[in-house]
Amino acid sequence: MPYEFKVTRRVEFSDTDMAGIMHYSNFFRFMETAEHGFYRSLGFSVNMPETDPKLGWPRVHAECDYKKPLRFDDLVEIHMLVQEKRTKAMSYQFRFRKLNEDPGIEVARGLVTIVCVAHFRDGTMKSVPIPLEIGNRIEVAPPELLA
C-alpha cells in the first residue's frame, strides 16, 4: 500500500516576496499540491461531494522548518510521507529538495496533521473515522524513511 508521493514544482515569480525568495506561506501550498496528488494517485479526491454527510479534511496542525531559500525558477521536489495514521486523523511529513543543484539539497521540512470530519446540513462538523475504503489504501511509511 502507498505511503509516499513525490511531485515536482517550479517556483513561479508570484511565489516570491520582495527579497526574491519563495514566501514562507507558499511552502504550505506546495504541501497541498503533494497531498492532493497523493489522493488522486489512490483514486479519490480531497473534495468528496458524493458522501452523505459530506466529508472534509481540515488541518489541525501545520509546521515548516526552513533551511535554505528557494528563488524564482528553482525546481523543487516535494516528497510526502505518511508519518502517522490514526482512526480519525493522519499526519504527513514533507521534504522539499531543490533540484537545481547536483546533488539536490533539502531546503525545508514540513508536517501537516489532518482530521476526517463530517459536514452536516445544519452547518456543524464532527470528527469521524476515516472511511475504510480510504484508510485501507494508505499505510505509514517505514521508520527509516521518516528519520
Side-chain angles (χ1 to χ4, degrees), residues 3-129:
Y3 53 79
E4 69 181 329
F5 186 81
K6 292 181 183 180
V7 65
T8 302
R9 283 199 54 181
R10 187 166 302 278
V11 177
E12 302 294 335
F13 184 76
S14 61
D15 295 325
T16 63
D17 61 16
M18 292 293 289
I21 62 175
M22 187 160 99
H23 192 266
Y24 76 93
S25 64
N26 288 317
F27 282 83
F28 294 97
R29 291 177 192 263
F30 281 32
M31 289 183 215
E32 281 199 343
T33 295
E35 178 190 9
H36 296 177
F38 178 63
Y39 296 160
R40 282 190 296 276
S41 76
L42 299 176
F44 66 95
S45 173
V46 68
N47 184 21
M48 304 175 69
E50 69 281 354
T51 61
D52 188 24
K54 183 179 177 186
L55 296 181
W57 305 94
R59 280 82 184 102
V60 295
H61 179 82
E63 65 183 65
C64 192
D65 293 319
Y66 309 95
K67 300 175 183 180
K68 295 190 180 283
L70 289 171
R71 291 182 163 71
F72 168 65
D73 228 19
D74 280 344
L75 197 58
V76 61
E77 174 188 82
I78 304 102
H79 183 188
M80 187 197 107
L81 294 157
V82 179
Q83 181 171 302
E84 184 179 16
K85 183 173 81 168
R86 298 186 305 260
T87 304
K88 298 179 180 181
M90 290 187 280
S91 293
Y92 304 126
Q93 182 185 104
F94 298 88
R95 296 178 185 166
F96 294 82
R97 197 164 61 95
K98 183 178 174 180
L99 300 177
N100 300 48
E101 301 186 22
D102 189 25
I105 58 168
E106 187 172 304
V107 298
R109 193 171 283 206
L111 177 72
V112 170
T113 300
I114 62 169
V115 173
C116 185
V117 300
H119 295 268
F120 297 103
R121 294 176 200 263
D122 65 1
T124 61
M125 296 186 304
K126 181 182 178 190
S127 63
V128 295

